[in-house]
Amino acid sequence: MWPDHAIWWQLYPLGFTGAEPAAAPSEVPTVVHRLPQLENWLDYAINLGCSGLLLGPVFAAETHGYDTIDHFRIDPRLGDDADFDHLIAGAHARGLRIALDGVFNHVARSFAHPEWFRRGADGLATFEGHEHLVALDHERPEVAQYVGDVLRFWNARGVDAWRLDAAYAVPPEFWRSVLPRDRDVWYFGEVIHGDYAAYVEKSGLDSVTQYELWKAIWSSLNDRNFFELSYALGRHNALLDTFVPQTFVGNHDVTRLATRLDDERHVGHALAILFLVGGVPSVYAGDEQAYRGLKEDRAGGDDAIRPGFPDTPAELAPYGWPTYRLHQELIGLRRRHPWLTRARTTVEQLTNETIALRSTHGDEWVLLLLNVSDRDQHFVLDRDQHSSRAEAPVVPAHGWKFLTSS
């Protein structure tokens, strides 16, 4: 299946293209053709090693895109149907898949069907206290019909995958009843906590976001406590018995990796883990250029992690290209060993500050040695050619190293 070979470059179009933070109130809004700017970045994504664009919201909305007004219309701040079709054609011509962000748990208050809003004891139900985001009533057959129609409409336009926003807030059985299966489309849901495997089984989704692993990666590096990562990888291996998780070390909803890590020397460690372990990985646009950004719990608190990008990659600052090349190197390793998507990862050496991780497939293996201590570390490994301390690989302080079977 093609998702086994997918590596997504995720971007947030409204921020990426510098769109206005709020749509102008007008019955006939002015269309600004910003989507063509994304076409300038398609070859950049390919050169990075990615095989698909994972787009944030592109449908007509009031502000940030997660307050949708009309799921059948491109946000006029981004362009129109012709712009979208041209982007799809340009991506597909290069072999890039396109994924859309489906926001179906909640909508804007100006959504055309207020009779579909879910009501609670205190009035309209909102999404996690955000008063301008009103929850849909997923028990209504009209809502199920609408969501299914939206998915079919855009699938027919060439969409290859969907990220289902706030899936955790939607009854899993809802997805099983509405997801079209007439094309080879990949559906994954945003699930932050809970029983991932049970949600996939009940919902019929192909995958969900692996937030538990995301947290363990940066937290174990910051705390110099690889026991946390070892525990999370055990749980991650168990998930792979049921489905292939969508993995990441950064996205549009979290503090950027370069900011989250206490020691920027450990960016490579985090990326190496991401591309070693099983999963369908994504890279959040800008992380590959060492962008920084702190998410804050306030109005406008996402702005720093969703900045505008220049018109073309040639206009990027020079300081970010070493991190881009690091991504290329690690994605290249992943592509040379495509079986890593479904690989289990075992821990072969473990201390607070060192860990040896081996992913295997038959006779093939990839071994990752990580060291976050302040001194060089020798790794003594029983299952490869390094069987004595004299022959043991040495990883420098705050370094990492890959070994492969071929």
Side-chain angles (χ1 to χ4, degrees):
M1 292 178 58
W2 69 261
D4 277 7
H5 305 282
I7 298 176
W8 297 100
W9 191 52
Q10 182 193 9
L11 60 90
Y12 175 72
L14 289 168
F16 191 99
T17 61
E20 298 84 1
S26 172
E27 292 186 8
V28 186
T30 300
V31 176
V32 183
H33 301 280
R34 291 188 170 98
L35 279 181
Q37 180 184 336
L38 302 187
E39 296 184 45
N40 298 335
W41 293 82
L42 298 180
D43 292 333
Y44 171 93
I46 292 171
N47 290 334
L48 182 62
C50 294
S51 59
L53 257 60
L54 172 54
L55 300 178
V58 297
F59 304 138
E62 289 183 353
T63 59
H64 45 55
Y66 292 95
D67 47 359
T68 315
I69 298 170
D70 185 350
H71 293 82
F72 290 100
R73 183 162 56 95
I74 297 297
D75 195 306
R77 292 173 291 169
L78 293 173
D80 56 21
D81 280 3
D83 294 327
F84 180 81
D85 291 342
H86 201 268
L87 175 62
I88 287 272
H92 285 174
R94 292 167 171 83
L96 286 170
R97 304 277 181 169
I98 292 288
L100 294 186
D101 205 340
V103 188
F104 301 119
N105 174 66
H106 49 270
V107 293
R109 285 182 176 267
S110 60
F111 183 71
H113 295 281
E115 70 274 17
W116 296 353
F117 293 167
R118 181 159 54 87
R119 298 182 180 275
D122 300 324
L124 291 180
T126 59
F127 175 61
E128 297 184 351
H130 300 284
E131 288 300 316
H132 66 293
L133 301 178
V134 186
L136 291 171
D137 185 349
H138 296 93
E139 294 184 2
R140 295 182 68 103
E142 305 98 312
V143 173
Q145 182 66 49
Y146 177 81
V147 173
D149 288 347
V150 171
L151 295 170
R152 281 183 287 272
F153 178 81
W154 294 105
N155 287 354
R157 300 279 285 273
V159 170
D160 302 291
W162 289 84
R163 172 193 177 271
L164 301 171
D165 181 69
Y168 59 88
V170 177
E173 295 80 8
F174 176 82
W175 301 119
R176 186 173 288 279
S177 71
V178 304
L179 295 182
R181 291 295 184 180
D182 53 338
R183 285 186 61 237
D184 188 18
V185 176
W186 189 65
Y187 300 96
F188 74 100
E190 180 194 20
V191 178
I192 298 176
H193 43 67
D195 189 336
Y196 294 164
Y199 195 92
V200 168
E201 183 178 0
K202 291 178 182 178
S203 66
L205 295 178
D206 297 301
S207 184
V208 296
T209 51
Q210 227 300 29
Y211 269 90
E212 182 177 300
L213 181 63
W214 161 78
K215 191 270 180 184
I217 291 173
W218 63 259
S219 180
S220 63
L221 292 169
N222 282 350
D223 295 343
R224 299 193 187 191
N225 176 19
F226 279 131
F227 286 90
E228 178 183 359
L229 177 62
S230 176
Y231 177 77
L233 285 173
R235 291 173 59 83
H236 186 72
N237 285 336
L239 295 178
L240 285 159
D241 293 336
T242 304
F243 70 101
V244 180
Q246 197 279 305
T247 53
F248 58 94
V249 291
N251 66 29
H252 67 298
D253 276 332
V254 300
T255 292
R256 285 195 178 268
L257 181 65
T259 301
R260 174 70 75 177
L261 292 175
D262 296 338
D263 190 331
E264 288 194 35
R265 291 176 295 180
H266 298 159
V267 167
H269 298 65
L271 295 172
I273 298 166
L274 173 66
F275 292 112
L276 173 77
V277 302
V280 178
S282 61
V283 176
Y284 181 47
D287 283 358
E288 80 285 352
Q289 290 286 338
Y291 275 26
R292 300 183 64 87
L294 177 68
K295 178 182 174 68
E296 298 179 272
D297 188 15
R298 60 172 178 81
D302 293 319
D303 293 350
I305 60 174
R306 301 175 182 178
F309 278 62
D311 288 340
T312 69
E315 300 169 68
L316 288 166
Y319 68 82
W321 288 103
T323 303
Y324 181 89
R325 289 188 286 272
L326 173 61
H327 277 75
Q328 286 179 311
E329 174 189 344
L330 293 171
I331 293 173
L333 180 140
R334 179 74 168 219
R335 293 212 168 280
R336 290 190 299 275
H337 302 87
W339 50 266
L340 285 170
T341 298
R342 294 178 177 270
R344 276 52 167 185
T345 303
T346 56
V347 177
E348 300 206 348
Q349 182 170 317
L350 178 62
T351 70
N352 281 339
E353 298 181 320
T354 65
I355 192 169
L357 302 174
R358 187 190 299 265
S359 291
T360 58
H361 175 73
D363 294 333
E364 293 188 83
W365 50 263
V366 177
L367 185 66
L368 173 61
L369 312 177
L370 299 168
N371 176 16
V372 294
S373 74
D374 296 324
R375 59 187 179 87
D376 296 354
Q377 295 287 348
H378 292 77
F379 284 77
V380 180
L381 304 163
D382 295 333
R383 291 177 54 190
D384 61 46
Q385 67 270 29
H386 304 288
S387 58
S388 70
R389 186 173 181 82
E391 299 171 333
V394 178
V395 179
H398 301 282
W400 52 272
K401 179 181 293 187
F402 273 111
L403 301 172
T404 65
S405 57
S406 58

